[in-house]
Amino acid sequence: PSKPAPSSATVQKQARNPVSRKQVEIVLSRSVAAGSLVFAAQTAGPLLAQSRESNPIWLLVASVAIVASLLVALLCSIVVRFVRISQGAVALVFVAVLVTWPFDVVTPHSPTDNQWLYYLLTVGTSTAAIAFPTRWSATYLFVVPSLYGIARMTPPGGAEPVPAAILDSVYSIILGGAVVVLITMLRQTATNVDVAQSAALQRYGHAVRQHATEVERVQVDSIVHDSVLTTLLSAAR
């Protein structure tokens, strides 16, 4: 007897492509969460060196909120639960810290040195790219570094010269933009792969069903033909 043709469900299970949008999202979220923790660790030195410039209570609350949100984001990316919510929380916590920073300054920052929040701008834009749609992440990319530049030009921020503040903001936008573009391209590519794979599986499943129907028809025709021929031979005898 001929071997039965595989069903479309079996074909889809066996032909599943290892690259998919879901897997790309997992890799991106874990990479951003782990990289953000590395950036936060590198910020510890400037933060301690500039700790006398800000209100100690605000500095403690801000640093704990940032580190805690990063740890929660990493944990969520590992267990693949609430990934976008946790990454969005990191981006919003950073905005809250950045906005409240000028109001808690005790000693104005030096205009020649970067404030410790400057090193976390890329963290904010990266987590926003994971959490928000492309339009909102692009808005975040331009607005948040601009807020940092404006804060640096104010007296509590150290009254940094306008060209230097603009340069800091533009540099952060370029670096964060590279991350946003990379994440967006990987997502789009994974989506295109999923769509192409789904279409190919549908076409192949349709071909399998047609082949199975044709095989069944041939078998039925053969049975009917043999039965009729046997009947005629018996009648002839």
Side-chain angles (χ1 to χ4, degrees):
S2 60
K3 185 178 180 180
S7 63
S8 60
T10 303
V11 171
Q12 291 181 2
K13 183 177 180 180
Q14 294 177 350
R16 186 174 298 277
N17 197 309
V19 178
S20 67
R21 172 66 182 265
K22 182 178 179 180
Q23 292 171 330
V24 169
E25 290 285 353
I26 293 174
V27 172
L28 289 175
S29 62
R30 291 177 180 176
S31 300
V32 169
S36 299
L37 278 175
V38 173
F39 272 87
Q42 293 177 345
T43 311
L47 187 148
L48 294 175
Q50 303 166 12
S51 58
R52 295 182 179 180
E53 299 175 358
S54 301
N55 187 321
I57 297 178
W58 174 88
L59 188 63
L60 178 62
V61 172
S63 57
V64 169
I66 291 175
V67 174
S69 62
L70 289 174
L71 290 175
V72 171
L74 179 60
L75 179 61
C76 291
S77 65
I78 293 175
V79 300
V80 197
R81 292 290 186 277
F82 308 108
V83 175
R84 293 203 168 191
I85 295 176
S86 59
Q87 298 278 359
V90 175
L92 295 179
V93 165
F94 178 75
V95 172
V97 172
L98 180 61
V99 171
T100 57
W101 159 54
F103 301 99
D104 292 274
V105 172
V106 176
T107 303
H109 185 69
S110 172
T112 59
D113 298 327
N114 286 321
Q115 217 271 344
W116 64 274
L117 287 174
Y118 174 78
Y119 302 99
L120 295 178
L121 285 172
T122 305
V123 172
T125 54
S126 300
T127 53
I130 296 293
F132 306 139
T134 304
R135 180 178 300 177
W136 290 106
S137 61
T139 302
Y140 188 101
L141 170 65
F142 287 96
V143 171
V144 175
S146 300
L147 288 177
Y148 174 82
I150 294 173
R152 286 289 280 136
M153 288 186 289
T154 60
E160 186 178 35
V162 175
I166 294 177
L167 183 62
D168 290 342
S169 299
V170 171
Y171 180 76
S172 299
I173 291 173
I174 293 175
L175 186 58
V179 176
V180 172
V181 169
L182 179 61
I183 292 175
T184 304
M185 289 180 60
L186 289 175
R187 280 176 169 173
Q188 187 62 40
T189 301
T191 301
N192 294 337
V193 170
D194 286 347
V195 171
Q197 175 188 351
S198 177
L201 289 177
Q202 288 180 358
R203 290 194 298 267
Y204 185 65
H206 181 67
V208 167
R209 289 192 295 270
Q210 284 186 331
H211 175 70
T213 302
E214 184 64 21
V215 170
E216 188 69 21
R217 186 185 66 79
V218 171
Q219 290 178 347
V220 171
D221 290 346
S222 176
I223 293 173
V224 173
H225 179 270
D226 291 344
S227 300
V228 173
L229 182 59
T230 300
T231 302
L232 292 175
L233 290 174
S234 300
R237 293 191 188 98

